[in-house]
Amino acid sequence: MNTRHHCARRPLTALSVGLVVAMGLTACGSASDRATNASSTAPRIASAPMGTDNAYEGVATEQTPVYWAGTGDQSEYLFREFRTPGATDTADPVAEAVVMMTTLEPLDQDYRSLWTGVESVGTSVSPDGTITVDLPATAFASRLSAENAELALQQLVYTVSAAAVTAGLLDAATAKEVRVLVDGQSEYKAFGSVDINEPIARDASLASPVWLIDPQTGTKSGTPLTVFGRVLPDFASARWEVIPRGEDDPLESGDVTEETGSPTSTAGTEFRIPVDVPAGDYTVRVAGTNEDGQKIEDDHPVTVVED
């Protein structure tokens, strides 16, 4: 089995090196060596959690996908932002994503991170979908409940698996698991609450069921403004809105229905809606309610400029 191995700022410790050698690792090469079969000029492709069957959608971007936990009524779910690379001096895109996840503040004030910042991460990626991440124990300095500890681990799993796809190290359709090492050790109680002895797969139920994918927080858009979102079946009663900043009533809005989107049996409804609004500052919002009355919403401030 061929395994791609990355030289991050902190090399894998003796135990993890033994692990990856056992899987057939060769010596670490250059960034171009690690991106075999991926053109340096091709757009990076980020994976998005689009259902309960570990399906993915490719999103062309030159940025790094980073996942955050929500707050308030959305505190049990994960949301993604794309961030500009350059947070580290490493050529390892997976390690860089982890450093960004632990050290940066989310652009959206409705998101949060559950990790303590670290600048040293070791990683390796196997073509079968196993991603090994070696973190220092300081990353787990916070003491979290078992529920929040599980969410934090999923934040890591979503981030590194998306980063591996973005960098062309794994195919988007490949099932992915993340093996977490702590200072090179394979057994650890994360955040004082959860044992991490086995590889961890994505838990699709933790991806937000109502998600404004684009425009992102703080971005500028020409006209028309395209509202791109995803709503899972349990939250099928959903609406999108474009609200002038500082006002309560939307300038444009509509229902999310199968007619406005691209429904699938597992992924719910994706929708892309072009909206003609004058130049100005807006809040774009997608909100949905399930049969139990639970309301989930995702909103981003954006600026529309004249083309």
Side-chain angles (χ1 to χ4, degrees):
M1 179 186 301
N2 294 322
T3 305
R4 300 181 178 93
H5 177 208
H6 304 289
C7 290
R9 295 179 62 180
R10 171 176 174 267
L12 288 172
T13 58
L15 178 61
S16 55
V17 169
L19 170 68
V20 291
V21 167
M23 294 189 293
L25 273 177
T26 59
C28 182
S30 66
S32 60
D33 293 334
R34 295 193 300 271
T36 302
N37 300 324
S39 169
S40 60
T41 59
R44 301 166 75 183
I45 303 299
S47 59
M50 298 306 297
T52 58
D53 58 354
N54 205 28
Y56 295 88
E57 181 199 50
V59 180
T61 178
E62 291 293 338
Q63 296 187 306
T64 298
V66 179
Y67 282 82
W68 310 105
T71 60
D73 292 338
Q74 287 78 241
S75 62
E76 62 189 278
Y77 297 112
L78 295 173
F79 299 83
R80 183 193 63 199
E81 290 180 339
F82 287 113
R83 304 300 295 268
T84 302
T88 73
D89 60 6
T90 176
D92 176 355
V94 178
E96 180 170 53
V98 177
V99 171
M100 295 172 79
M101 182 196 76
T102 64
T103 60
L104 298 183
E105 292 291 331
L107 297 174
D108 193 319
Q109 295 182 353
D110 295 328
Y111 302 163
R112 63 195 166 113
S113 181
L114 298 166
W115 293 82
T116 299
V118 297
E119 296 183 355
S120 301
V121 182
T123 73
S124 67
V125 179
S126 299
D128 66 357
T130 301
I131 305 168
T132 300
V133 180
D134 185 8
L135 290 159
T138 53
F140 302 88
S142 298
R143 287 297 176 259
L144 303 177
S145 66
E147 182 179 16
N148 278 334
E150 294 281 6
L151 185 63
L153 290 171
Q154 285 292 319
Q155 182 189 352
L156 174 68
V157 170
Y158 269 80
T159 295
V160 300
S161 56
V165 173
T166 299
L169 302 174
L170 288 177
D171 184 86
T174 302
K176 299 161 186 67
E177 290 188 325
V178 177
R179 183 185 301 276
V180 180
L181 303 178
V182 182
D183 290 326
Q185 302 301 309
S186 58
E187 295 186 4
Y188 190 79
K189 187 175 286 292
F191 305 103
S193 299
V194 176
D195 291 323
I196 44 175
N197 304 328
E198 301 293 335
I200 307 169
R202 281 189 174 195
D203 182 346
S205 69
L206 296 181
S208 179
V210 177
W211 182 17
L212 176 59
I213 299 171
D214 201 54
Q216 291 203 101
T217 297
T219 58
K220 291 183 178 180
S221 169
T223 56
L225 170 69
T226 298
V227 180
F228 174 26
R230 187 278 305 263
V231 178
L232 290 187
D234 288 348
F235 287 79
S237 176
R239 287 183 63 80
W240 61 268
E241 298 177 328
V242 179
I243 308 165
R245 198 83 52 81
E247 299 184 17
D248 296 326
D249 297 326
L251 181 62
E252 298 287 346
S253 63
D255 293 327
V256 177
T257 66
E258 292 187 359
E259 286 70 29
T260 62
S262 302
T264 71
S265 60
T266 59
T269 297
E270 285 185 10
F271 59 93
R272 287 180 176 85
I273 301 173
V275 184
D276 286 313
V277 294
D281 296 324
Y282 297 91
T283 297
V284 181
R285 175 181 297 137
V286 179
T289 305
N290 65 11
E291 293 182 352
D292 297 327
Q294 181 187 14
K295 183 178 181 179
I296 301 295
E297 65 179 43
D298 193 17
D299 57 42
H300 299 162
V302 301
T303 298
V304 174
V305 297
E306 296 288 351
D307 291 330

